[in-house]
Amino acid sequence: MVKLRAKCILVGDPAVGKSALSQMFRSDGAHFQKNYSMTAGVELVVKSVNIPDSIDSVELFIFDSAGKETFTESCEKLWGQPSVLCLVFDVSSEVSFRSCGRWLERVRAHCQGLQVPGVLVGNKSDLSSRREVETAVAQEWAQSQGLEYHETSAKEMENCEAPFLSLAQAFYALYQGQLQTIQALA
Amino acid sequence: MIDTALSSSGTQVVLAASSDENYPPENIIDGNTEMFWISTGMFPQEFILRFSNTVKITLITIHCYNVKNLKIEKSTSNDATDFQNIAEKEFEHTDGHLQTNDFSLNGTSATHLRFIITSGYDHFVSVHKVTVEGVN
Ligand SMILES: Nc1nc2c(ncn2[C@@H]2O[C@H](COP(=O)(O)OP(=O)(O)OP(=O)(O)O)[C@@H](O)[C@H]2O)c(=O)[nH]1
Ligand SMILES: [Mg+2]
């Protein structure tokens, strides 16, 4: 049995629902914050994820980072050597989607050559009448960047665990690959 | 000169920051490079060796994989406190074989050594063997 630990950087524009997502994930859907309360630095959320069909788990240390520009620089100080990346936009905001490339670049600057699995999350899928970003478009961009795409609604408790589960599994796969490499050396 | 970093000579690993029970930190001091300890994610990572007696160290050799930056500290107390920095190095990346690195020291005495891996060439780093040459 092994318990891995992964540093998960959670980024995206202000108010896209990063904190809502991480809180829903942490509380298993018990806690949705309706009123917007801006994150002013980094909020650490820790949660263990069991890897299906194994007795192993990954403990995610989620660095829920402020989306507001003025706080980003101080957040970045804590992003060194990330394990995995969760990039969020709001499907009802084209602007938040267009920012994703910039967020990705910013996080990658801290990866120091490490291969960092990532997901792109289109949140607020409940706002279907106000949707500005089509699933296919987001999906295509995600693929071009090597990210896995998920759509979620923190408000409706839709699919909130999926992005984190997939990150945990990707990290676990890296561990197993590395173990094989090292066993072959010794 | 004797190798004092061996479990057979009474040395123990008293702490490791992470562990997979199939690859325990004791593998670092079992005297061979085949068995290893592997970190299980995030940096820094560390482990502490405790000698059965105070040792005057002349050479430390570490066999590892994917380690980038390593710091070594020593303590001369009996309860593993007051660590002082004694060496620091950036290792070269190797592909397909282990990294082997030496640290020459001029007989500095220690009861404990603390190895701190501050960064790696991969998310996961392994340490296969540490040897410590010195006199009791
Ligand atoms: N309709 C809808 N609203 C949501 C959803 N997720 C979050 N919200 C709302 O969006 C607002 C912003 O959510 P936060 O989670 O605070 O956003 P954030 O990305 O953490 O923002 P910063 O901390 O400023 O970067 C809040 O009022 C939430 O209630 C969702 O899935 N659907
Ligand atoms: Mg927030």
Side-chain angles (χ1 to χ4, degrees):
Chain A
M1 184 184 76
V2 63
K3 183 180 192 174
L4 302 181
R5 289 175 150 194
K7 177 171 179 173
C8 174
I9 308 298
L10 177 59
V11 293
D13 271 5
V16 296
K18 299 179 295 296
S19 300
L21 265 178
S22 61
Q23 290 307 326
M24 287 300 273
F25 174 60
R26 181 190 59 81
S27 66
D28 294 314
H31 185 80
F32 176 70
Q33 172 103 23
K34 208 162 170 227
N35 300 320
Y36 177 37
S37 152
M38 183 174 69
T39 308
V42 169
E43 245 171 74
L44 183 63
V45 175
V46 183
K47 181 157 179 180
S48 254
V49 179
N50 293 322
I51 301 299
D53 307 318
S54 80
I55 51 167
D56 302 329
S57 61
V58 178
E59 191 172 21
L60 289 173
F61 289 72
I62 302 169
F63 285 56
D64 174 14
S65 305
K68 195 172 157 70
E69 184 61 42
T70 42
F71 300 120
T72 311
E73 206 168 304
S74 61
C75 291
E76 283 195 55
K77 293 198 174 83
L78 302 170
W79 291 354
Q81 304 184 79
S83 311
V84 296
L85 160 71
C86 183
L87 173 55
V88 186
F89 71 96
D90 170 353
V91 297
S92 72
S93 156
E94 169 82 34
V95 174
S96 74
F97 177 62
R98 273 194 261 115
S99 299
C100 288
R102 194 171 42 84
W103 284 111
L104 194 57
E105 240 169 70
R106 274 193 156 152
V107 178
R108 289 204 166 138
H110 297 272
C111 292
Q112 300 177 19
L114 293 175
Q115 183 194 346
V116 175
V119 291
L120 176 69
V121 178
N123 187 41
K124 307 198 187 182
S125 62
D126 55 287
L127 300 177
S128 46
S129 61
R130 282 162 46 192
R131 184 185 272 270
E132 289 183 2
V133 183
E134 291 312 318
T135 304
V137 173
Q139 182 103 52
E140 191 178 324
W141 184 78
Q143 204 165 15
S144 74
Q145 301 298 317
L147 305 171
E148 197 176 291
Y149 184 59
H150 295 268
E151 275 189 9
T152 59
S153 165
K155 187 175 174 219
E156 305 286 331
M157 284 195 261
E158 270 297 307
N159 215 27
C160 297
E161 285 195 348
F164 297 106
L165 239 167
S166 118
L167 287 172
Q169 281 177 308
F171 194 62
Y172 183 67
L174 286 182
Y175 179 68
Q176 295 204 303
Q178 194 57 34
L179 259 181
Q180 277 187 352
T181 305
I182 294 171
Q183 272 162 344
L185 294 179
Chain B
M1 292 292 173
I2 46 157
D3 176 10
T4 46
L6 279 174
S7 41
S8 56
S9 55
T11 299
Q12 290 177 294
V13 185
V14 290
L15 177 142
S18 71
S19 171
D20 180 332
E21 61 187 16
N22 293 317
Y23 306 90
E26 287 71 28
N27 288 348
I28 296 169
I29 52 169
D30 66 356
N32 70 59
T33 56
E34 231 152 82
M35 311 272 269
F36 56 88
W37 164 79
I38 185 167
S39 70
T40 59
M42 306 216 299
F43 292 98
Q45 291 287 335
E46 67 172 83
F47 58 91
I48 296 177
L49 303 185
R50 177 168 72 205
F51 305 117
S52 54
N53 290 300
T54 301
V55 182
K56 293 198 172 66
I57 301 170
T58 52
L59 184 72
I60 300 172
T61 305
I62 179 164
H63 304 266
C64 53
Y65 195 61
N66 281 329
V67 172
K68 191 169 182 188
N69 286 94
L70 176 77
K71 275 200 293 203
I72 305 178
E73 298 178 347
K74 68 152 193 180
S75 163
T76 49
S77 72
N78 286 325
D79 53 355
T81 52
D82 300 322
F83 278 95
Q84 305 165 272
N85 201 42
I86 55 168
E88 199 163 350
K89 198 161 168 178
E90 181 170 330
F91 292 178
E92 276 181 33
H93 182 232
T94 57
D95 209 2
H97 62 93
L98 297 182
Q99 299 164 299
T100 302
N101 284 272
D102 287 335
F103 296 87
S104 294
L105 298 158
N106 30 16
T108 183
S109 51
T111 54
H112 296 78
L113 286 179
R114 179 186 197 175
F115 296 78
I116 306 168
I117 300 159
T118 53
S119 65
Y121 292 104
D122 190 89
H123 297 287
F124 311 105
V125 299
S126 57
V127 179
H128 297 243
K129 184 181 175 184
V130 170
T131 58
V132 175
E133 284 180 23
V135 285
N136 281 122

